[in-house]
Amino acid sequence: MTSTGPAAPFALARYREGTSVQLGLVAGDRIRPLTPDQLGAVELNDFLAAPDWDRLAAVAASPGDDWMPLADVTLTAPVQPRQVLQAGANYRQHVIELVAAGLTNNTDRTPDEARAFAATMMDDRAANGEPYFFIGLPACVVGDDVPLVLPAYSDVHDWELELAIVIGAEAFQVSRDDAMAHVAGYTIVNDITTRDLVFRKDMKEIGTDWYRSKNAPGFLPTGPFLVPAPFVDGGAVTVTLELNGQVMQNGSTDDLLFDIAALVSGASQTMPLLPGDILLTGSPAGNGQHWKRFLRDGDVMTGSITGLGAQVVRCVAPGGAA
């Protein structure tokens, strides 16, 4: 679905070749298959453990009759993570909007009171708090070649476009100063959320239910490119989501409460982050909860992040045509 590559000199992608998936190297509007000899590793995650971008730069610059127009291939998710970690409540303005919209266990505040409460809470978190993480299922990671089937059990499926960190060298209990050495690259993820399942209704004291609200099949459309970290300033990119051509989200990662180094360091304190894992950084303001408009059969979401290209996700009802 993507005819042009990212702005970087080259990037990694995976594309469909019959019934299999092939790792490829993208340069401009062309793509070529990457052999293990060219990659210098048997598989993508092995390469990401110690990425040699100079090696791939040489492959990108070399001629060959195996280059293909990018528009002629079907791209799929560019990563194969063993773990998916997600940062919650990490954009100041986004959290203020969600609380003001009533997405909270406390319904006694007026919208203005809720907004003021959320603003104070976010400022305190930024100064004194720590990142908030939950986990997703790697099986939910798909490319935008897969239609998003909207589960029939709810009418409030929402979008959350996010910058995703792709882990390189294994990171375990790393400091913030050392964290960026464990970032191999970045990609785009749309973290689909079923809003009415976020909070348990049968036992509110339990709190959030991220398993049911975020882990239906295809709920993590990812890619289409893995762009090397040296080509991206993850702290200053624009995250934009259009729904049927209308801009719904348009924020910058400079609004992150906890930056990329803080997220990698924080997530690594509990469990080692493995090569190829993805760590979502949070979503800016402008979700469906804010607009009171949720995903419907036939909707088309176009998500783009500066330097990372764009993904196009088509929504269908259960049993609907792709």
Side-chain angles (χ1 to χ4, degrees):
M1 297 181 181
T2 302
S3 59
T4 58
F10 62 87
L12 291 165
R14 297 168 68 241
Y15 63 93
R16 298 196 179 277
E17 194 171 60
T19 59
S20 64
V21 175
Q22 169 69 46
L23 181 65
L25 186 69
V26 176
D29 59 359
R30 303 182 302 162
I31 187 171
R32 72 189 306 176
L34 268 178
T35 67
D37 285 344
Q38 291 171 321
L39 188 65
V42 175
E43 296 180 345
L44 173 60
N45 288 346
D46 296 328
F47 171 80
L48 294 175
D52 185 348
W53 299 122
D54 290 339
R55 182 188 190 98
L56 295 192
V59 177
S62 65
D65 56 10
D66 56 352
W67 285 105
M68 301 172 287
L70 192 58
D72 289 354
V73 303
T74 299
L75 298 177
T76 189
V79 289
Q80 295 177 284
R82 287 165 282 185
Q83 302 176 121
V84 176
L85 284 89
Q86 298 169 256
N90 201 38
Y91 277 83
R92 183 180 185 277
Q93 190 58 37
H94 176 208
V95 176
I96 292 172
E97 282 192 3
L98 291 180
V99 174
L103 191 67
T104 172
N105 279 331
N106 189 330
T107 58
D108 298 331
R109 301 184 182 94
T110 67
D112 286 344
E113 289 172 341
R115 189 173 287 107
F117 167 79
T120 300
M121 179 175 61
M122 290 300 95
D123 292 342
D124 181 66
R125 281 192 67 221
N128 306 302
E130 297 179 355
Y132 168 48
F133 299 107
F134 49 93
I135 56 176
L137 297 180
C140 297
V141 173
V142 298
D144 65 0
D145 57 315
V146 177
L148 175 61
V149 179
L150 303 172
Y153 49 70
S154 176
D155 294 322
V156 288
H157 306 296
D158 203 348
W159 58 84
E160 293 193 27
L161 198 71
E162 309 197 17
L163 174 70
I165 302 161
V166 182
I167 299 298
E170 179 177 316
F172 186 45
Q173 298 180 348
V174 299
S175 68
R176 294 189 182 188
D177 289 342
D178 295 334
M180 296 306 295
H182 298 267
V183 176
Y186 300 92
T187 191
I188 301 171
V189 177
N190 193 342
D191 175 26
I192 307 301
T193 304
T194 304
R195 290 294 176 199
D196 61 352
L197 295 181
V198 171
F199 292 105
R200 297 289 305 202
K201 296 179 177 63
D202 55 346
M203 190 175 178
K204 294 182 179 180
E205 293 80 3
I206 292 177
T208 48
D209 187 346
W210 297 126
Y211 171 68
R212 292 197 308 160
S213 62
K214 288 181 176 284
N215 287 286
F219 264 35
L220 288 173
T222 300
F225 307 109
L226 192 176
V227 179
F231 304 140
V232 181
D233 179 0
V237 295
T238 300
V239 179
T240 304
L241 183 132
E242 296 181 9
L243 180 67
N244 304 326
Q246 180 179 356
V247 175
M248 309 302 278
Q249 288 184 282
N250 188 36
S252 172
T253 53
D254 63 10
D255 192 38
L256 291 176
L257 288 175
F258 299 100
D259 63 14
I260 291 166
L263 292 175
V264 172
S265 174
S268 77
Q269 299 307 310
T270 302
M271 185 73 181
L273 306 181
L274 305 176
D277 287 351
I278 55 175
L279 171 53
L280 281 59
T281 58
S283 186
N287 304 109
Q289 182 76 22
H290 166 75
W291 298 108
K292 304 302 182 186
R293 163 62 160 94
F294 299 98
L295 295 171
R296 305 168 185 160
D297 182 26
D299 280 344
V300 178
M301 295 181 288
T302 303
S304 61
I305 296 180
T306 309
L308 303 187
Q311 61 170 228
V312 180
V313 177
R314 290 168 168 81
C315 302
V316 299

